């Protein structure tokens, strides 16, 4: 659309179902490349992506032609289908329901990119759940502890 200009940076976080540590180093780079291609094929710009065995972060320059929820539905659906088609896990692979999406200003982009790149070091000091709770609190997001990425009961 002519005369439409946006600058939308969104940091997305989501987990493997039940936070199972299924993202293995033998294939996680291929997964990141697959997700980056999915995001970019929808007109967004992938700025950073990284994962731990149980969750994944990415920072995207969002194309406003697609909502965040639609983008995440495609990313999670297409990537889980790819993992299953490639038989990368011994059982059917699923992402946990839900995700976190946090807006960022241009001045925050470099620090978020570094944060995402540094996940392996970061998680030597803190758990995913503590990290996620901190992100929600820092962003001022009210949340119900019952719906934070949980293990099966």
């Amino acid at each position: 659309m002519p005369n439409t200009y946006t600058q939308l940076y969104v940091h997305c976080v989501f987990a493997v179902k039940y936070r199972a540590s299924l993202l293995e180093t033998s294939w996680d780079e291929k997964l990141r490349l697959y997700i980056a291609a999915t995001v970019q094929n929808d007109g967004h710009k992938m700025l950073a992506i990284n994962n731990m065995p149980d969750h994944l972060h990415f920072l995207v320059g969002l194309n406003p032609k697609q909502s965040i929820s639609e983008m995440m539905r495609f990313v999670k659906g297409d990537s889980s289908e790819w993992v299953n088609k490639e038989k990368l896990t011994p059982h059917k692979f699923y992402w946990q329901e839900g995700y976190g999406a946090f807006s960022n200003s241009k001045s925050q982009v470099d620090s978020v990119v570094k944060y995402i790149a540094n996940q392996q070091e970061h998680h030597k000091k803190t758990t995913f759940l503590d990290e996620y709770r901190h992100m929600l609190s820092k962003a001022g997001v009210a949340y119900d502890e019952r719906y934070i990425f949980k293990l099966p009961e």
Side-chain angles (χ1 to χ4, degrees):
M1 180 181 322
N3 296 317
T4 300
Y5 305 99
T6 63
Q7 185 178 64
L8 306 168
Y9 300 107
V10 181
H11 178 184
C12 299
V13 184
F14 52 104
V16 175
K17 189 166 187 175
Y18 303 130
R19 294 191 348 260
S21 293
L22 296 178
L23 306 180
E24 297 181 11
T25 56
S26 62
W27 55 269
D28 65 351
E29 183 176 0
K30 290 178 186 173
L31 174 66
R32 292 189 303 269
L33 290 170
Y34 186 89
I35 289 173
T38 300
V39 166
Q40 293 182 159
N41 284 342
D42 283 333
H44 310 289
K45 184 175 181 181
M46 182 64 76
L47 301 171
I49 185 169
N50 201 357
N51 65 277
M52 292 299 294
D54 64 344
H55 71 282
L56 187 138
H57 292 254
F58 67 78
L59 177 65
V60 64
L62 187 72
N63 180 336
K65 290 182 180 179
Q66 186 179 49
S67 69
I68 295 169
S69 59
E70 188 177 359
M71 175 187 67
M72 292 305 296
R73 185 173 55 83
F74 283 128
V75 165
K76 291 170 70 178
D78 286 357
S79 62
S80 61
E81 185 177 313
W82 177 81
V83 169
N84 289 318
K85 186 181 86 173
E86 296 293 317
K87 298 181 184 349
L88 298 173
T89 59
H91 305 288
K92 192 153 175 84
F93 178 86
Y94 297 96
W95 293 109
Q96 183 105 3
E97 189 175 331
Y99 57 88
F102 306 92
S103 61
N104 292 266
S105 66
K106 183 166 178 54
S107 65
Q108 295 171 309
V109 167
D110 286 343
S111 63
V112 175
V113 167
K114 288 176 189 165
Y115 177 80
I116 291 171
N118 204 26
Q119 281 293 289
Q120 285 69 17
E121 280 302 309
H122 175 70
H123 284 292
K124 289 179 181 176
K125 301 173 193 154
T126 189
T127 67
F128 169 57
L129 279 183
D130 288 342
E131 170 191 48
Y132 194 63
R133 285 183 190 108
H134 176 75
M135 292 174 77
L136 291 167
S137 296
K138 186 177 174 186
V141 176
Y143 63 93
D144 187 328
E145 190 67 36
R146 294 176 298 172
Y147 301 110
I148 297 294
F149 300 119
K150 290 281 189 184
L151 297 171
E153 295 177 1

